[in-house]
Amino acid sequence: QYALIKDVVSSLKRHRMHEQQFSHHPLLVLSNFGLQQIQVKLMASMFQNMVPSINVHRVNLNSIKRCLLITYDPETQLLEFRHYSVKVVPVGVSKGLKKLLQEKFPNMSRLEDISELL
């Protein structure tokens, strides 16, 4: 089973598709590929070699825009592919600071000083 990209985009309320998403390779996540069967090891090796490896110590988190999740079901021997768009969002900061970090300029007409925003 599969879905066309135009059907996926039309079903979303707010879709985020732009060229920069495809300028870097996706983060590959393999699930249930730890089995000792030779065909499962071969599939895992094939998928790992399809996508360039990521050095976790040097990677810039802002450059990761997509995640490719491949899940293997040993009972049915089916593969499930999921392709996600990833967005980095600051967490644990005030709403005003979050807008500044995302390069959105908040309305500061009601404020006396920028410290009130932060």
Side-chain angles (χ1 to χ4, degrees), residues 21-87:
Q21 283 182 318
F22 300 98
S23 63
H24 296 285
H25 51 272
L27 175 66
L28 178 66
V29 178
L30 298 176
S31 179
N32 290 338
F33 281 88
L35 304 173
Q36 296 301 318
Q37 300 168 342
I38 190 69
Q39 69 269 21
V40 176
K41 288 183 177 181
L42 182 64
M43 283 190 298
S45 176
M46 179 188 70
F47 290 129
Q48 288 171 343
N49 290 318
M50 285 175 61
V51 178
S53 62
I54 294 176
N55 185 344
V56 293
H57 299 293
R58 292 186 176 169
V59 69
N60 180 4
L61 292 179
N62 291 328
S63 67
I64 298 176
K65 301 290 183 191
R66 298 177 294 138
C67 178
L68 178 61
L69 172 65
I70 303 174
T71 306
Y72 175 69
D73 186 358
E75 293 177 8
T76 61
Q77 295 185 343
L78 293 176
L79 293 171
E80 182 178 318
F81 289 79
R82 297 270 175 134
H83 192 208
Y84 296 98
S85 174
V86 178
K87 181 180 178 182

Side-chain angles (χ1 to χ4, degrees), residues 6-19:
K6 67 178 184 175
D7 297 330
V8 173
V9 170
S10 66
S11 70
L12 298 175
K13 291 181 181 176
R14 285 187 286 159
H15 62 278
R16 297 183 323 105
M17 294 228 8
H18 49 83
E19 275 183 34

